[in-house]
Amino acid sequence: MLWGSNARETHPIFFHHVLKAVKRGAKLYVVDPRRTTTADWATGWLPVEVGADISLSNGIARCILEEGLEHKAFIARATTGFEAYRASLERYDLARVCRETCVDESLIRRLAREYARAPRAMICWTLGITEHHNAVDNVLSLINLGLLTGHVGRYGSGLNPLRGQNNVQGGGDSGALPHKLPGFQDVENDALRANFERVWKCKIPPRKGWHLTEMFEAMGRKELTALYVVGENPAQSEADATHALERLAGLECLIVQDIVLTKTAAMADVVFPASASFCEAEGTVTNSERRVQRVRKALQPPGQARDDIQILCDLSLRLGFDLRLPSAKAAWDEMRSLSPMHRGMSYERLDKKGLQWPCPDEQHPGTQFLHARLWADPIEGPTAPFHAVEHSPPVDLVDREFPLRLTTGRRLDSFNTGVQSSAFASPMRRGETIDLCPHDAHSLGVMEGEPVRVISRRGRVVAPVRLDPGLKPGLVFMTFHFPDEVDVNLLTIDATDPRSGTAEFKAAAVRVEKL
């Protein structure tokens, strides 16, 4: 089940393996408001209304329970909170679910049966689930389906977020999260924090930090006055770009470390040119299946560009502290000495073969899949909780003034804000468009290629029309690949999930005007 993921275009190498499975007889279901090129390969496509994912997930769960297809033994021994969860589903009869999701009852029932009865089943999701004001609840609703059917902790079954960029997983593993130290250890846990303080020879604040959205809010309050940006382009990637640019411009000091001069770097007081980590540096990356792999330096960085770790260590010396990390290997060895789940991954082992964490010692082969402990007898560690979650529509309401729902995403030919991909020619690249279904284009009196004005409650842009029969009436689509020509994030809303800090890029209300 691919939920909120156009993997054919956004994770094409991964989708190549999905297609091999489909051709061997695996069943693929796609849950997406658009009929994408991914959905074209699916056994079933569920055209869920933008922002109605929880309602659909709860409706699927209710069908599974009504037909007695839940994994009773697994629920009884490995989970908690089931009765409260089951009670919450009483409010999600299929009449309500079909009304809120715009998905046919027959499709919902079919997916529920196929998923529950499958010997192995997997749910994969991406930003179509997480770029909402209720992102965490969306993910919890999918976890509920895995627990309900026992499709967790077994080979070929599970719940998998497909990472949007290389080494996002490795960044989280290494502590690039406001509430975690390396190895996902809680920064507010005194005993865990003490281990790091002993090695780092400094005191660590005993409280979680700000995530990205909270950092921008703090800039607006003038509580955050200096910002160090490494490999990120928030001037063009943040929602409600007008406010984001104002806050970046109001900083007392902006430092950017990157391989190209992004729009954010062009605003900076200081720019550190970094090396391209995939070929000009030593280190590791971790992929979506937690596999840590070595990266080996093949080229010298050009000009004054330097390895990220050299820049950080030299800056630390200027600030009066020696990090004592002369190389990527030294940094890795320090991390695995502090992170139990990486402890057995020496460079010598990684040079021979990638390993999946947890890997607690150098005799351990790595862990192929997580949560097998839920099937142990007795269960090893804590049980898995159900979470009763409720449908919550998008913050930016569609009305007579703004009658269309804009959702954003990616295309196969480009990447993110286009900083890297737009430098290379592609016969597939057509520039930014506002994608409309033929019905809406006819109602607006516009034709393919015709420039139109797109207006939200926050800003306006001009873009040419592209007709897409995979869109249903009332739904329009744009990307953020070409912000220098069409800055789509002038339209998006910065309503965020309070726990993850993710903005609701997937649901803005707009109108389209003929020029």
Side-chain angles (χ1 to χ4, degrees):
M1 201 189 309
L2 287 175
W3 199 308
S5 169
N6 181 16
R8 170 66 183 85
E9 298 195 42
T10 60
H11 292 84
I13 306 303
F14 161 78
F15 194 69
H16 172 72
H17 296 282
V18 173
L19 281 182
K20 288 198 293 185
V22 168
K23 290 173 181 177
R24 289 196 303 266
K27 293 179 179 177
L28 170 64
Y29 281 85
V30 172
V31 181
D32 198 305
R34 301 187 297 141
R35 186 175 179 89
T36 62
T37 54
T38 302
D40 288 341
W41 292 90
T43 305
W45 167 54
L46 284 74
V48 64
E49 193 74 9
V50 173
D53 302 283
I54 289 174
S55 183
L56 179 57
S57 178
N58 284 350
I60 293 169
R62 178 160 170 167
C63 286
I64 290 170
L65 287 169
E66 285 178 351
E67 301 196 20
L69 298 176
E70 73 274 23
H71 198 304
K72 297 179 179 65
F74 177 81
I75 292 168
R77 62 188 300 279
T79 71
T80 57
F82 172 67
E83 291 304 325
Y85 172 62
R86 179 163 60 181
S88 73
L89 298 179
E90 291 301 314
R91 298 186 287 277
Y92 289 87
D93 59 273
L94 282 190
R96 171 191 172 174
V97 171
C98 293
R99 184 174 64 252
E100 289 176 344
T101 65
C102 298
V103 178
D104 288 343
E105 178 179 339
S106 60
L107 266 175
I108 297 172
R109 289 194 181 278
R110 191 172 107 202
L111 173 56
R113 291 168 183 151
E114 298 262 14
Y115 176 69
R117 290 170 175 164
R120 292 191 297 273
M122 191 176 293
I123 302 177
C124 299
W125 69 89
T126 55
L127 301 179
I129 281 292
T130 55
E131 287 186 339
H132 289 276
H133 75 282
N134 55 346
V136 172
D137 283 350
N138 282 343
V139 174
L140 291 174
S141 76
L142 302 186
I143 291 171
N144 288 337
L145 291 178
L147 296 179
L148 188 63
T149 54
H151 286 315
V152 291
R154 286 178 164 175
Y155 176 76
S157 290
L159 299 129
N160 297 280
L162 304 177
R163 296 308 199 177
Q165 297 186 50
N166 183 42
N167 207 30
V168 168
Q169 184 68 52
D173 296 352
S174 304
L177 297 166
H179 61 306
K180 297 292 183 183
L181 294 159
F184 299 104
Q185 298 175 80
D186 195 338
V187 75
E188 296 181 343
N189 183 307
D190 294 343
L192 295 175
R193 196 173 61 254
N195 294 331
F196 289 85
E197 290 176 337
R198 183 175 60 256
V199 173
W200 291 350
K201 301 188 185 320
C202 67
K203 282 291 180 184
I204 302 169
R207 61 187 181 279
K208 66 178 183 179
W210 288 321
H211 55 57
L212 184 59
T213 300
E214 291 169 330
M215 292 167 74
F216 271 86
E217 291 170 352
M219 289 181 219
R221 300 190 302 268
K222 303 299 181 183
E223 292 180 28
L224 179 60
T225 58
L227 187 69
Y228 192 158
V229 179
V230 182
E232 184 86 3
N233 186 22
Q236 294 184 307
S237 62
E238 281 299 287
D240 196 353
T242 301
H243 282 160
L245 288 169
E246 287 174 357
R247 290 166 182 174
L248 289 170
L251 290 165
E252 293 177 16
C253 178
L254 175 60
I255 303 165
V256 172
Q257 184 169 316
D258 214 317
I259 64 174
V260 289
L261 193 71
T262 64
K263 186 172 181 178
T264 309
M267 300 175 68
D269 300 287
V270 177
V271 177
F272 294 137
S275 62
S277 59
F278 72 94
C279 64
E280 296 168 355
E282 294 286 327
T284 63
V285 297
T286 308
N287 69 7
S288 289
E289 62 169 356
R290 300 164 287 102
R291 189 180 301 278
V292 180
Q293 300 171 87
R294 282 277 284 114
V295 174
R296 298 165 183 83
K297 184 175 180 177
L299 301 170
Q300 288 296 327
Q304 293 183 339
R306 299 173 64 192
D307 193 333
D308 290 287
I309 197 166
Q310 290 181 327
I311 296 170
L312 293 167
C313 287
D314 283 357
L315 180 60
S316 179
L317 278 175
R318 300 289 183 95
L319 293 170
F321 189 86
D322 186 355
L323 288 173
R324 305 182 308 283
L325 297 172
S327 67
K329 181 179 183 301
W332 178 256
D333 284 341
E334 180 190 277
M335 189 179 97
R336 71 188 187 96
S337 75
L338 291 165
S339 170
M341 68 188 201
H342 293 97
R343 193 154 290 155
M345 298 182 178
S346 67
Y347 256 35
E348 290 73 23
R349 295 189 73 194
L350 293 176
D351 276 333
K352 298 174 183 176
K353 179 183 179 182
L355 296 168
Q356 292 168 277
W357 59 255
C359 182
D361 59 63
E362 294 199 24
Q363 284 69 50
H364 196 281
T367 304
Q368 188 178 21
F369 55 92
L370 289 179
H371 310 305
R373 62 179 181 78
L374 295 173
W375 296 93
D377 191 13
I379 291 175
E380 300 169 0
T383 53
F386 281 94
H387 292 85
V389 290
E390 299 292 340
H391 168 64
S392 176
V395 173
D396 205 16
L397 296 177
V398 170
D399 57 18
R400 291 181 64 183
E401 185 179 5
F402 300 99
L404 301 172
R405 173 64 70 204
L406 168 67
T407 193
T408 62
R410 299 177 183 175
R411 295 195 184 103
L412 177 62
D413 58 88
S414 299
F415 185 70
N416 281 4
T417 56
V419 171
Q420 297 175 60
S421 57
S422 62
F424 301 91
S426 168
M428 300 174 63
R429 190 170 299 125
R430 57 175 183 269
E432 192 51 75
T433 58
I434 171 73
D435 293 3
L436 301 170
C437 76
H439 177 272
D440 286 341
H442 178 75
S443 299
L444 292 162
V446 298
M447 301 194 315
E448 186 154 72
E450 179 180 343
V452 295
R453 184 179 293 113
V454 188
I455 304 171
S456 77
R457 294 180 173 94
R458 290 153 297 282
R460 59 185 60 200
V461 299
V462 173
V465 169
R466 175 179 173 268
L467 299 183
D468 182 357
L471 293 168
K472 52 190 175 184
L475 181 64
V476 302
F477 177 80
M478 300 183 81
T479 79
F480 39 85
H481 296 319
F482 307 95
D484 292 327
E485 291 80 36
V486 182
D487 193 352
V488 173
N489 277 333
L490 291 172
L491 307 173
T492 52
I493 187 170
D494 62 356
T496 56
D497 181 275
R499 286 170 285 182
S500 69
T502 309
E504 192 157 63
F505 289 98
K506 298 302 182 192
V510 300
R511 69 174 180 269
V512 173
E513 294 180 349
K514 186 179 175 69
L515 294 176

